[in-house]
Amino acid sequence: MGKNDRQSKTEIPPGTLCLLILKTLASGPMHGYGIAQRIHLLSKEVLEVEEGSLYPALQRMLIKGWVTAEWHPSENNRRARYYSLTKLGRKQMGTEVSEFEKVTAAIQRVIETP
Amino acid sequence: MGKNDRQSKTEIPPGTLCLLILKTLASGPMHGYGIAQRIHLLSKEVLEVEEGSLYPALQRMLIKGWVTAEWHPSENNRRARYYSLTKLGRKQMGTEVSEFEKVTAAIQRVIETP
DNA sequence: TAGTTTCCCATAGGGAAGCTATGGGAAAGA
DNA sequence: TCTTTCCCATAGCTTCCCTATGGGAAACTA
């Protein structure tokens, strides 16, 4: 593969990973691996969250108080760290969703102008 | 203002600035200042392109061969550098537009899942 | 005509956040 | 026993935008 293939794979646009994680956790506590799978599934295989992106992002969100974490065995009986949305995280989610939609709509307007 | 106000202003999401510039230039050659104004206008004042973002972006696009530049006096009789889309730039625009729409739709699916 | 505003270009330095590469450990299945 | 699957995590790099800064020329303004 070439060196300029940041474009060739479908990646998460910078700034939206947090939003995706927050939204995913809104449906209940989940471990990291599960979050990645769910995003992959819900996006119909378009979005792939790399583990090297996911865990640092979760760390940042822990520090900011948007999520909390607890160790529990997973459904498959592995050691797993379950993340939950905090009240602050839920608020942040709302902010990011509306910001995303506002900016996306604005870009669409530019793009769709003939 | 605080120190964490990358969020407080409406900014260009990383990765989309090129797309916006390419699309803007698709309607004809334009100087940098004009590009910024047009994006601001078309987005209904939502998007603001800072000059410290714009000119480096144009440099990158020159290097990649997506645009060419020529000096001409502007409509206001100032010295101005007019940028034009190349064939390669037009192709890149198409790629980025479809990528943007694909990824945006995917994120929307995740966001809108109850 | 001196001063200010508007227009227009450009770089340096810094930070945020993604990616690749890497490493590990434990359960399950072959 | 060996491989696969599941699950966590860090280090180092790169890209790309922002802030801050600087300059210069036309045009308006007092």
Side-chain angles (χ1 to χ4, degrees), chain A residues 9 11-12 15 17 50 52-53 60 76-79:
Chain A
K9 270 199 205 166
E11 8 173 299
I12 312 289
L17 178 55
E50 306 296 332
S53 307
R60 291 194 293 269
N76 294 325
N77 200 27
R78 314 292 173 96
R79 89 190 196 298

Side-chain angles (χ1 to χ4, degrees), chain A residues 22 25 28-31 35 58-59 61-72 81-89:
Chain A
L22 289 170
L25 287 179
M30 212 172 295
H31 53 68
I35 294 171
L58 286 168
Q59 297 298 326
M61 293 165 74
L62 274 170
I63 290 170
K64 294 188 177 179
W66 297 346
V67 299
T68 53
E70 282 179 5
W71 289 94
H72 293 298
R81 206 175 179 195
Y82 280 80
Y83 294 87
S84 308
L85 215 55
T86 63
K87 193 170 174 181
L88 190 60

Side-chain angles (χ1 to χ4, degrees), chain B residues 84-100:
Chain B
S84 309
L85 216 53
T86 63
K87 192 171 175 181
L88 190 60
R90 194 167 293 272
K91 188 177 168 191
Q92 177 67 17
M93 180 184 77
T95 305
E96 292 201 15
V97 167
S98 55
E99 183 70 13
F100 173 80

